[in-house]
Amino acid sequence: MTIAAEGELLGRTGAALRLACGQAGLGTGDVTLLRDFANAVYHLPAEGVVVRLAQAAAPGKYDRLTTSVRVTRWLAEQGFPTVRPLEVRQPVAAGGFLVTFWHHEEHVGPAPEPAELGSLLRLLHELPPVPFELPTHDPFGPVRRAIDAGRLLGEDDRAWLLRRCDELAEAYYERVRFALPYGLVHGDAHRGNLIRTAGGLLLCDWDSVCAGPRETDLIPTLQGVRFGLTEQQRAGFSRAYGHDLTAWEGYPVMRDMRELQTLTAVLRNAHRDEAAAGELRHRLDSLRAGDDRLWHPF
């Protein structure tokens, strides 16, 4: 959706966008809204820049964005195929948002396959240790906060979700023994965060980057049967990475954890997005029934 008129830039994120871009010395002519869900994402064609706006009120968000910028700069230095932040001071606080700026990469060709993600994650996990401190993986904090803040949740659903978090946390911390090394993880590694460009694939959306068990980066694809991935695609992903988690004793716990974690964005947006509200209800009914019906990606 192209923002064709100055007045349209005064919406929920438009004023913050103009303010932040002014601080970074970027023009907003012909700005295009690419996405407005978990984050608002804009393209500045004349600048060759993508601007991401995140709610500043989210706990720890400033530190997470600072880390994502620092990590991607380091990854680019290592030659890892990642999106690259602009060399400007960031994140910028503007109008209740925290704003980051990234080089725009043109999408080309077919959608990436899970096996391609598996190969990139293997490269990521084989890199030398990051030479600065990373936040520690927090598997339940974001979803618990989203449950607490979810405006459309009834109290029965809220109580059920919190009990489910408690059950899985007990199993995770008491029974899961990791098979892979601990270290740098992307934190939200699914093929929707891959961009196919003329120069090759790039991994994007590093807001959740942290130090944690490497299994964290494999589970989203293996849990992807909820979103229509085939067994052939999952097997190809595991072969490309070089390790199959599906027979590991910790897999069921982490798969169920990931199902809860996928609720975070729809919980935060259901009050303002009719499709998200419907998908939230669909996923909650599925989880509470214990079935394996397909979910719709957001």
Side-chain angles (χ1 to χ4, degrees):
M1 177 175 63
T2 299
I3 301 178
E6 179 75 7
E8 294 182 63
L9 275 172
L10 299 177
R12 194 177 71 90
T13 56
L17 173 73
R18 287 194 305 172
L19 180 60
C21 288
Q23 293 182 53
L26 300 170
T28 56
D30 296 324
V31 61
T32 302
L33 177 64
L34 300 179
R35 181 170 170 80
D36 185 9
F37 199 67
N39 297 296
V41 183
Y42 289 93
H43 177 208
L44 309 180
E47 303 281 3
V49 170
V50 169
V51 186
R52 301 178 80 238
L53 292 88
Q55 293 283 347
K61 192 66 174 180
Y62 183 88
D63 290 340
R64 290 200 299 276
L65 293 179
T66 299
T67 298
S68 73
V69 170
R70 190 177 187 188
V71 166
T72 48
R73 285 175 176 159
W74 178 80
L75 287 171
E77 291 171 358
Q78 306 307 305
F80 182 82
T82 177
V83 291
R84 295 172 298 118
L86 253 60
E87 290 299 324
V88 297
R89 183 183 66 82
Q90 54 176 315
V92 169
F97 293 89
L98 291 171
V99 184
T100 54
F101 307 92
W102 304 82
H103 292 281
H104 177 255
E105 303 289 350
E106 193 70 37
H107 297 230
V108 300
E113 282 294 323
E116 295 174 301
L117 175 60
S119 296
L120 278 191
L121 291 176
R122 186 184 71 246
L123 291 176
L124 179 70
H125 295 170
E126 289 174 349
L127 289 173
V130 178
F132 46 83
E133 188 174 355
L134 293 171
T136 301
H137 178 54
D138 179 11
F140 295 99
V143 69
R144 286 185 191 274
R145 289 190 290 270
I147 292 167
D148 288 338
R151 298 188 195 178
L152 289 192
L153 274 183
E155 288 310 307
D156 182 60
D157 283 330
R158 194 186 313 276
W160 186 89
L161 285 169
L162 291 173
R163 284 196 304 273
R164 186 64 174 148
C165 283
D166 290 342
E167 293 166 0
L168 290 172
E170 181 179 1
Y172 178 76
Y173 290 114
E174 292 188 4
R175 300 206 303 269
V176 173
R177 300 293 177 265
F178 295 105
L180 299 175
Y182 185 94
L184 171 68
V185 294
H186 177 277
D188 190 25
H190 56 83
R191 63 175 177 160
N193 283 332
L194 276 183
I195 301 172
R196 190 184 302 282
T197 73
L201 289 170
L202 301 176
L203 193 53
C204 68
D205 194 355
W206 293 85
D207 289 8
S208 300
V209 66
C210 61
R214 263 51 187 271
E215 286 86 348
T216 301
D217 277 348
L218 308 187
I219 290 295
T221 298
L222 298 176
Q223 184 261 343
V225 290
R226 277 288 198 184
F227 302 102
L229 259 65
T230 66
E231 288 301 322
Q232 182 179 6
Q233 287 175 309
R234 294 204 313 162
F237 170 80
S238 295
R239 283 195 301 271
Y241 182 80
H243 187 85
D244 184 1
L245 286 186
T246 57
W248 170 56
E249 62 181 6
Y251 171 69
V253 173
M254 293 196 70
R255 176 202 60 209
D256 291 352
M257 288 168 52
R258 176 65 185 178
E259 290 194 333
L260 281 186
Q261 291 160 355
T262 64
L263 298 179
T264 302
V266 287
L267 279 166
R268 289 178 175 159
N269 288 275
H271 67 282
R272 67 181 184 92
D273 186 302
E274 185 176 348
E279 182 63 16
L280 175 60
R281 185 70 264 160
H282 176 71
R283 294 189 194 183
L284 282 173
D285 289 345
S286 175
L287 287 171
R288 297 194 67 166
D291 63 34
D292 58 358
R293 73 187 78 169
L294 286 177
W295 295 354
H296 307 101
F298 267 85

